[in-house]
Amino acid sequence: MSGSIYEIIDSRFRDLIVGSAQLDKLYTGCRWAEGPVWFKDGDYLLWSDIPNRRMMRYLPDGTVSVFRADSNFSNGNTRDRQGRLVTCEHGGRRVTRTEIDGTITVLADSFEGKRLNSPNDVVVHSNGSIWFTDPTYGILSDYEGFRAEPEQPTHNVYRLDPETGALTAVVTDFIQPNGLAFSADEKRLYIADSGERDGEEPRHLRVFDVVDGATLTNGREFCRLEGGRPDGLRVDERGNVWTSGGPLVHCYAPDGTLLGRIHVPEGVANLTFGGPRSNRLFITATTSVYAIYLTVRGAQTP
Ligand code: MG
């Protein structure tokens, strides 16, 4: 398939893609597009344009407008089980929830009495707990947040208890934890490490077993990317893992086998399933947002 946007590495990838489907460019004009989240009930996509300190909204008629003008350098977004928007903010170094009436509730901004680094990406478990990563990207410079020295000694993955509000560090040994996603049955949590330290650049996703929706065990390397560092990821209904990495979307089988890639004209930061049938992959890629139809649907359908 010379010139194709599809790179088929394992024949199983053919069952996941629509061969005639092309990459649609929905919008351009961002500085660093991130944090896509689909609102099925409203039939629209939201995402963050981090350096421009705004959140954008795309409607299927092609209309794109500013959803939130001062987003506080928002990054990752998701929805909780009540449909409320949950957002990571570099600027406020916090995770927030946007209530139905539009007011913003701070869910977490410190751990053990010290400020968080800069929450990056977030997912919500069906038991209501909120899991997010806290690398330092949003405090390294004034481009994607406010430059500051980190107060946390490590770059953790946290779990926020929905009942007590208690924040627990569930993983503490990442270089820079970034995107994360549960498997459809919530028995697994995938977490990307996009960091580099002392010449070490793992470029991998790790997977953990989730115990009682509360703790993680049996962490191991799930896959190692060729061509870019992983950032955001999602899981489809069959358990395949779709992750960003360079100007590519990489698709891995549940056993970690690389099935194929989709070539994108710009560096990919994140992606999410959306559309009325959840069979359209929305891709935030540097200055633009792209979308492509697949045969599979996303695992999460809030
Ligand atoms: Mg990210």
Side-chain angles (χ1 to χ4, degrees):
M1 292 177 76
S2 174
S4 171
I5 57 170
Y6 302 107
E7 187 182 338
I8 295 165
I9 293 162
D10 183 294
S11 60
R12 284 175 281 177
F13 195 53
R14 292 183 196 283
D15 295 334
L16 308 179
I17 57 173
V18 180
S20 60
Q22 294 303 304
L23 199 59
D24 305 318
K25 190 175 193 172
L26 305 183
Y27 181 76
T28 194
C30 298
R31 290 194 186 276
W32 188 254
E34 247 282 10
V37 58
W38 180 257
F39 279 64
K40 191 169 187 175
D41 43 356
D43 202 29
Y44 60 84
L45 179 81
L46 295 184
W47 75 91
S48 300
D49 178 1
I50 303 176
N52 281 324
R53 301 180 68 164
R54 59 183 185 170
M55 287 182 66
M56 308 297 289
R57 178 165 68 171
Y58 164 85
L59 296 168
D61 66 2
T63 310
V64 174
S65 57
V66 175
F67 170 78
R68 181 171 290 169
D70 188 357
S71 65
N72 228 349
F73 295 103
S74 69
N75 188 340
N77 294 289
T78 192
R79 300 181 78 189
D80 68 12
R81 297 291 152 160
Q82 289 76 45
R84 297 171 295 190
L85 174 67
V86 178
T87 298
C88 295
E89 288 182 10
H90 288 178
R93 299 169 68 172
R94 63 189 191 176
V95 178
T96 66
R97 181 176 64 219
T98 302
E99 309 296 345
I100 302 302
D101 66 4
T103 59
I104 290 174
T105 302
V106 178
L107 300 176
D109 61 3
S110 65
F111 178 66
E112 294 183 339
K114 300 181 179 114
R115 296 187 77 185
L116 297 175
N117 296 317
S118 51
N120 188 290
D121 217 340
V122 58
V123 288
V124 179
H125 189 278
S126 62
N127 65 15
S129 57
I130 295 169
W131 303 61
F132 65 93
T133 56
D134 189 40
T136 54
Y137 294 117
I139 54 173
L140 293 176
S141 77
D142 292 315
Y143 186 62
E144 292 197 1
F146 301 110
R147 191 176 71 186
E149 288 299 316
E151 297 178 20
Q152 299 294 335
T154 50
H155 306 165
N156 300 335
V157 182
Y158 294 101
R159 176 189 186 273
L160 183 70
D161 188 277
E163 307 295 335
T164 66
L167 194 62
T168 307
V170 289
V171 189
T172 60
D173 64 346
F174 272 65
I175 302 174
Q176 294 278 37
N178 203 316
L180 72 176
F182 287 108
S183 58
D185 60 10
E186 297 182 318
K187 289 182 176 169
R188 287 176 153 198
L189 180 66
Y190 298 92
I191 309 172
D193 196 330
S194 56
E196 178 179 11
R197 184 169 56 208
D198 301 332
E200 185 195 356
E201 189 181 358
R203 296 185 176 213
H204 64 187
L205 306 186
R206 287 164 69 188
V207 62
F208 298 81
D209 297 331
V210 182
V211 182
D212 297 331
T215 59
L216 300 179
T217 186
N218 191 27
R220 64 269 188 202
E221 185 174 79
F222 172 71
C223 66
R224 192 173 280 258
L225 268 70
E226 294 168 34
R229 300 179 192 184
D231 190 337
L233 58 134
R234 293 291 188 276
V235 181
D236 72 28
E237 61 186 340
R238 298 188 204 169
N240 302 303
V241 178
W242 301 74
T243 179
S244 66
L248 299 161
V249 173
H250 311 245
C251 177
Y252 291 88
D255 66 2
T257 306
L258 178 61
L259 300 181
R261 300 185 180 105
I262 298 171
H263 289 248
V264 179
E266 302 177 67
V268 178
N270 211 332
L271 43 88
T272 197
F273 286 89
R277 310 293 289 175
S278 193
N279 64 337
R280 198 177 188 193
L281 195 65
F282 291 87
I283 302 162
T284 50
T286 313
T287 67
S288 305
V289 175
Y290 299 86
I292 191 162
Y293 284 99
L294 301 170
T295 64
V296 281
R297 297 175 180 172
Q300 293 99 344
T301 51

